[in-house]
Amino acid sequence: MFLTAEHISFQYGAPPGRSRVRTGEGRAFALDDVSFTVERGSLTGLLGPNGCGKTTLLKLIAGVLRPHQGTVALEGRSVADIPRRQLAQRVAVVPQETHPAFDYTVLEMVLMGRHPHLGLLQLEGPDDLRIGGEALAATGTTHLAARPYMTLSGGEKQRVVIAGALTQQPGVLLLDEPTASLDLAFQLEIAALLSRLNRDRGVTMVLATHDLNLAAALCDALVLIRDGRVLARGATRDVLTSDMVRRLYGVEADVRFHEPSGHVTVVPVRRAP
Amino acid sequence: MTVSQPAAAAIGGGIRPIRARLTATLLVFGGVAAGACLVAPLVGSTSISLSRAFDRSVPFADNVDAQIFFLARLPRVLAGALAGAALASVGVVLQALLRNPLASPYTLGVSAGSALGAMLAISFGASVAFGPLSPVPLASLAGACAAAALVYALATKPGRPMSTSVLLLAGVTLNSFFSALILFVQYMADFTETYRTIRWLMGDLDVGGVTPLLGVLPLIAAGWAMLAPLPSSLNLLSVGTDAAATRGVDVARTQRMAFIGAALTTAGAVALAGPIGFVGIVVPHLVRLMIGVDHRVVLPASALLGAAFLVGCDLISRTILAPVEVPVGIVTAMLGGPFFLWLLVRKA
């Protein structure tokens, strides 16, 4: 097993080390007994409605948050036991939005990805610049290198943040709603980019999204989450059915294979009674 | 005090490798700081010559130029350089830590804490001295450390990252609270003590010898030693705490180092020269406008430009209305403010 989550529970505001996590009214949101596995080189989607715990789950996998119960393990080793720098050499995160407090250039933003590979007070050398340059090329952002990050469009920013994550040279890339707030053309472009990186570089990806069609187009496997619990998990073609969409979102949907796109498509019809 | 346009262009850009940028930055800003420290002691009510001051053929006891240079003016210039470098570097660190461009060395409540300490020492005629530190600097140091410790305790919980918003609000609130205490004690105190306190608050670099410098140097050096390894982590912290954590930064540890280092450095600077304002805000922004925002170049450049800036301001403070001296804290704000606004408007 490459990446596993075993019976993890988490509650915001709860003190660490608490034995029992309760859910219910008046409680901050919790993930409750979530388990799943991610195969090496796969592209796994975390699907679910807004506020179901997708982002929390990504933060738990990235080691930014610690589960109150259960473990997240990378190749059998709990991420809580992996020193932060070592973990950052293997796992990179693309957050939903990035708002730097200062006006960094695109190249500066991307080269920050080298941080876990550099020693104390060590500056980037020619190798680091080459890796950064390759990440810019892979995301089609080389021409933006000298631009201030703040002046970019939403799609350009997202590609630059992905380039920064690639500069970490991670084996695992965690992406939080990578196409939210992007228009159709950019959505397709990011999807193609992720698919290419997964195929060519063998980067294992975990992708949190509420976009069912994006998940259908990209992901080999899905984990469906509702109210902090796993509703279903498995191969995309097995899990993504109209029955599951109804149970996940409370929406009647037409789910069928779509010849021109080569994947399952989901067309929402009405709210389920 | 400023760097010429071609020099600034050579350092800036953001596309040049960091090594080249850092080298150019250290050369240019180091040159400016060294120049300021060398020229400033030559200027004053009595004009002296650099060649005569360094003339070894005349015995020191007979060399008036050397005496004025080394005994009267150099300690004052070095105090300005040390305090300026300390305040500007702390400004850089806190602006990144708090993700707030308006943060200054005094955001931590340190200035009001130190002022309260100094004022109590003045009002109650304290006579406790410690090594090279005389009573008032010692009391201001204690006040600064107490204020910083209080803010730190309020903003941290064990095992969690520091709450930077609590830090900011606690610092600002504590500043107001201490200021009220200061006003209260001043209201009760007699006129001479009140005047001495107010004069102390305006900042003064006339340290009268190297002893006070040696007294605060260990403190500032310790603070800098804690801040020096941080710039790369500060880059990531200013992007976001989660972004920093997922790139291998130990966020809680970095925040702790930044806070304690900043508090020590500020306390040392304030004990030496009083709570001189504006250096910690204007110098880092000036540097960012000139050479970009990467903290690995901004931190050393700000320290060096802060040294040159305060030495320059002190030069003006003791010459512009000579023989009357204008308190240096007034000069920094009256000179730095309009200049900074001009730069801001021109850039925008």
Side-chain angles (χ1 to χ4, degrees), chain B residues 51-148:
Chain B
S51 59
R52 257 180 294 149
F54 281 91
D55 187 356
R56 286 269 151 253
S57 63
V58 186
F60 188 77
D62 300 332
N63 191 337
V64 179
D65 284 28
Q67 284 176 6
I68 292 176
F69 186 92
F70 287 105
L71 298 183
R73 292 182 188 160
L74 196 60
R76 179 172 184 146
V77 166
L78 291 179
L82 189 63
L87 294 172
S89 55
V90 169
V92 170
V93 170
L94 290 182
Q95 283 152 22
L97 179 72
L98 301 173
R99 292 173 47 93
N100 188 326
L102 291 177
S104 82
Y106 307 135
T107 308
L108 303 180
V110 165
S111 64
S114 63
L116 183 63
M119 194 199 53
L120 290 175
I122 292 168
S123 298
F124 294 104
S127 56
V128 184
F130 176 78
L133 289 173
S134 50
V136 173
L138 191 65
S140 82
L141 201 63
C145 293

Side-chain angles (χ1 to χ4, degrees), chain A residues 84 99 101 104 108 115 124, chain B residues 21 99 232 238 242 249 296:
Chain A
R84 194 163 286 295
H99 300 290
Y104 294 104
E108 283 170 339
H115 185 269
E124 300 102 47
Chain B
R21 289 177 67 195
R99 292 173 47 93
S232 173
S238 74
D242 283 355
V249 175
R296 293 171 299 179

Side-chain angles (χ1 to χ4, degrees), chain B residues 8-342:
Chain B
I11 306 166
I15 193 99
R16 279 158 50 100
I18 183 73
R19 282 162 204 257
R21 289 177 67 195
L22 190 57
T23 311
T25 299
L26 291 177
L27 282 175
V28 172
F29 286 92
V32 171
C37 289
L38 210 57
V39 170
L42 300 180
V43 185
S45 47
T46 316
S47 68
I48 57 170
S49 121
L50 191 61
S51 59
R52 257 180 294 149
F54 281 91
D55 187 356
R56 286 269 151 253
S57 63
V58 186
F60 188 77
D62 300 332
N63 191 337
V64 179
D65 284 28
Q67 284 176 6
I68 292 176
F69 186 92
F70 287 105
L71 298 183
R73 292 182 188 160
L74 196 60
R76 179 172 184 146
V77 166
L78 291 179
L82 189 63
L87 294 172
S89 55
V90 169
V92 170
V93 170
L94 290 182
Q95 283 152 22
L97 179 72
L98 301 173
R99 292 173 47 93
N100 188 326
L102 291 177
S104 82
Y106 307 135
T107 308
L108 303 180
V110 165
S111 64
S114 63
L116 183 63
M119 194 199 53
L120 290 175
I122 292 168
S123 298
F124 294 104
S127 56
V128 184
F130 176 78
L133 289 173
S134 50
V136 173
L138 191 65
S140 82
L141 201 63
C145 293
L150 191 57
V151 173
Y152 183 79
L154 288 169
T156 46
K157 287 180 190 153
R160 298 235 179 112
M162 193 180 280
S163 164
T164 50
S165 54
V166 173
L167 198 68
L168 200 64
L169 290 171
V172 170
T173 308
L174 214 61
N175 259 336
S176 298
F177 178 71
F178 282 164
S179 300
L181 283 181
I182 290 167
L183 287 176
F184 178 72
V185 181
Q186 272 179 5
Y187 185 70
M188 294 302 188
D190 72 50
F191 284 119
T192 329
E193 287 159 1
T194 303
Y195 176 77
R196 274 187 69 199
T197 313
I198 291 176
R199 183 64 194 81
W200 185 85
L201 286 171
M202 291 174 182
D204 190 1
L205 291 168
D206 192 8
V207 292
V210 288
T211 317
L213 277 171
L214 297 177
V216 299
L217 193 60
L219 209 66
I220 294 178
W224 273 340
M226 295 181 81
L227 301 181
L230 300 184
S232 173
S233 301
L234 289 178
N235 280 343
L236 280 159
L237 270 187
S238 74
V239 173
T241 48
D242 283 355
T246 58
R247 287 185 174 173
V249 175
D250 185 337
V251 172
R253 184 170 177 275
T254 304
Q255 288 176 332
R256 200 164 54 236
M257 295 269 286
F259 183 96
I260 297 171
L264 287 177
T265 310
T266 310
V270 174
L272 180 66
I276 297 171
F278 220 65
V279 181
I281 287 193
V282 75
V283 170
H285 287 290
L286 216 53
V287 166
R288 288 193 197 97
L289 286 171
M290 288 189 283
I291 62 168
V293 299
D294 189 324
H295 288 86
R296 293 171 299 179
V297 289
V298 170
L299 186 62
S302 295
L304 292 167
L305 190 63
F309 178 79
L310 198 52
V311 167
C313 284
D314 185 52
L315 182 62
I316 291 167
S317 90
R318 60 192 166 84
T319 52
I320 193 159
L321 292 181
V324 176
E325 235 176 60
V326 184
V328 68
I330 295 176
V331 177
T332 54
M334 275 178 45
L335 190 83
F339 176 66
F340 181 63
L341 288 179
W342 170 75

